[in-house]
Amino acid sequence: MKAMYGCSLSHSLHRPPLPTPSGPRPHTLRYWMHWVLVILALVSSALGGILASARFSEWVPMTLAITTMLEYMDKYFMLDQNLASGNMAQASLQTTLLWWDGLSLVERRSREGKDKLVDMCETAIVARHSAFAAGAPAATR
């Protein structure tokens, strides 16, 4: 079998495993920042309600200001949009890697294979940056 195809079965069994996608891996900090800001805004809002019911109504505007500031920070840094576009780019690049690893040596060296690889990678990068650019006018209002 080795003479017919040029490689043995043992060679293909010792190939390193492909990386597996595991959620928001490259954007972990943004993911946690988003949820920390959301939870802090929720706690601040609840604290304002508790203070109002306990007749400490002079502190309610302060909790409202804190809640507003936390929500504005989340929208200003576009944490949820960055997380979504980053994960889509990661999935696209993972698909590209799987496609590339499925090609034979001759297909990898062909101009069409290389052109398709570059197009797929550039599309992922452009999609990541266009999602950022689309949200930029909304963040400045």
Side-chain angles (χ1 to χ4, degrees), residues 9-98:
L9 181 61
S10 64
H11 173 70
S12 63
L13 291 177
H14 295 295
R15 187 173 192 194
L18 294 173
T20 57
S22 57
R25 201 65 170 161
H27 304 286
T28 306
L29 180 63
R30 287 186 179 145
Y31 175 78
W32 288 111
M33 280 178 55
H34 169 68
W35 284 109
V36 164
L37 288 174
V38 167
I39 290 171
L40 285 175
L42 180 67
V43 168
S44 175
S45 179
L47 183 64
I50 291 170
L51 288 173
S53 66
R55 297 187 182 162
F56 290 108
S57 59
E58 62 272 0
W59 290 98
V60 173
M62 179 62 80
T63 60
L64 269 167
I66 292 171
T67 303
T68 304
M69 179 193 65
L70 291 170
E71 289 181 357
Y72 176 75
M73 285 174 55
D74 186 35
K75 298 297 181 211
Y76 178 76
F77 291 119
M78 296 187 304
L79 296 174
D80 49 348
Q81 292 95 344
N82 283 333
L83 180 66
S85 64
N87 285 343
M88 286 189 303
Q90 177 188 3
S92 176
L93 291 173
Q94 183 72 28
T95 303
T96 304
L97 178 65
L98 290 172

